[in-house]
Amino acid sequence: MKKLTQKILSIAFIGATLIGFQSCSEDAIPGEGEELTQAELKTILTTDEIAGTADTALAELFVGSSAKVSTAKEGDCYMAEYTETGFVATFNNCVLNGTDNVNGTVTVTYEAGQEASSFTATYQDFYVGTVKINGTRSYEITASGDQTSVSFTVVSDMSVEMEDGSIISENGTKTFSITFGDSLETTIFSLSGNWTVEADGNTYSVTTLEDLQGNASCEFITTGSMSVSKNGLAVTVDFGSGECDNVATIIYPNGATEEITL
């Protein structure tokens, strides 16, 4: 389980990288009479950044839960109480991998199998710095029998309250996966899914039309496409057909195209 969890964390980091590449391309997408601004893009990505910190905490505690016995574990800044069906963890000013302080309680229930593990985390007034998380995130982790590939699917139904009192909500599914090859070129990572973010009276929807893919030897996404919609007005972003370059193509609703540099 520990080795599998380490692979899961690798996927999470790759997923964050993929989302970062999205931000580069989406920043320049105008609509007919509208545009998707950099500030709006930051809003779209905020929940991932914050939830990523929470996921890091869960990864460490999930390893400890593999014994599946009723026990307590106390770290430098948290207390976790394990049962046969999950655990309840309370954090008190934890700093995880250089992140903001983490405070609050999360309840996790899980099921585990030989090839897949799944668990649901319920956050109740869970703070990352001055930002508060409420809601659920359900995870399913699947590894191939020969351990050559692993996928990490997250279903979110959560709200994030910022320091100024504004609220961002996210609902949807994302799947990060990686297939390990004999070289960097043959080690493939991908992101797929569809999710919706609501903030400041606007609704933003992202759907991968073809899985966004790349390999470990290239810093850019090399294939795949996605649709980005703001209040119903959608554009398509095409990342190419396999070349390792920093170019993507935006396709507008009227069929016009624009090439951008990432």
Side-chain angles (χ1 to χ4, degrees):
M1 179 62 71
K2 185 173 183 179
K3 290 182 179 179
L4 177 58
T5 303
Q6 289 172 341
K7 290 183 179 180
I8 292 166
L9 289 175
S10 296
I11 293 171
F13 294 141
I14 290 171
T17 302
L18 283 167
I19 293 170
F21 287 138
Q22 290 182 38
S23 69
C24 293
S25 60
E26 293 171 9
D27 180 42
I29 300 175
E32 294 178 354
E34 296 185 26
E35 64 178 358
L36 193 64
T37 68
Q38 185 172 2
E40 288 174 319
L41 239 230
K42 183 178 180 181
T43 297
I44 293 171
L45 302 177
T46 294
T47 52
D48 275 299
E49 295 172 357
I50 296 168
T53 302
D55 293 347
T56 300
L58 291 180
E60 177 182 348
L61 294 171
F62 191 68
V63 173
S65 71
S66 60
K68 290 191 177 181
V69 294
S70 297
T71 184
K73 180 180 179 182
E74 185 173 0
D76 293 336
C77 58
Y78 68 86
M79 171 65 75
E81 186 74 28
Y82 294 98
T83 69
E84 292 184 353
T85 58
F87 58 86
V88 178
T90 300
F91 294 85
N92 183 16
N93 285 330
C94 285
V95 177
L96 306 167
N97 294 328
T99 63
D100 292 335
N101 286 7
V102 174
N103 290 276
T105 299
V106 58
T107 301
V108 172
T109 57
Y110 59 78
E111 297 178 1
Q114 184 175 0
E115 298 299 331
S117 298
S118 61
F119 57 99
T120 297
T122 301
Y123 298 95
Q124 183 175 0
D125 293 343
F126 189 89
Y127 283 84
V128 178
T130 58
V131 177
K132 181 169 65 175
I133 301 174
N134 279 290
T136 63
R137 277 165 71 83
S138 298
Y139 307 78
E140 183 171 351
I141 306 135
T142 305
S144 63
D146 57 5
Q147 296 289 303
T148 58
S149 65
V150 62
S151 66
F152 179 58
T153 297
V154 182
V155 180
S156 296
D157 184 2
M158 61 187 293
S159 66
V160 173
E161 183 175 341
M162 308 302 288
E163 185 176 10
D164 62 5
S166 61
I167 296 176
I168 303 168
S169 64
E170 179 182 282
N171 187 293
T173 302
K174 301 172 187 175
T175 297
F176 307 112
S177 64
I178 184 168
T179 300
F180 302 96
D182 297 329
S183 65
L184 293 177
E185 289 79 6
T186 57
T187 296
I188 306 299
F189 57 81
S190 68
L191 168 66
S192 63
N194 57 83
W195 59 96
T196 300
V197 174
E198 295 183 4
D200 298 325
N202 292 313
T203 299
Y204 307 90
S205 298
V206 179
T207 300
T208 53
L209 305 176
E210 298 176 81
D211 289 3
L212 309 184
Q213 293 188 347
N215 62 68
S217 68
C218 180
E219 62 180 308
F220 304 106
I221 295 174
T222 58
T223 62
S225 62
M226 63 184 182
S227 171
V228 181
S229 173
K230 174 185 175 183
N231 299 331
L233 179 64
V235 298
T236 299
V237 183
D238 188 336
F239 288 92
S241 57
E243 299 82 2
C244 181
D245 58 34
N246 61 345
V247 175
T249 302
I250 300 177
I251 304 171
Y252 296 102
N254 63 3
T257 62
E258 178 185 4
E259 193 173 88
I260 62 170
T261 300
L262 304 178

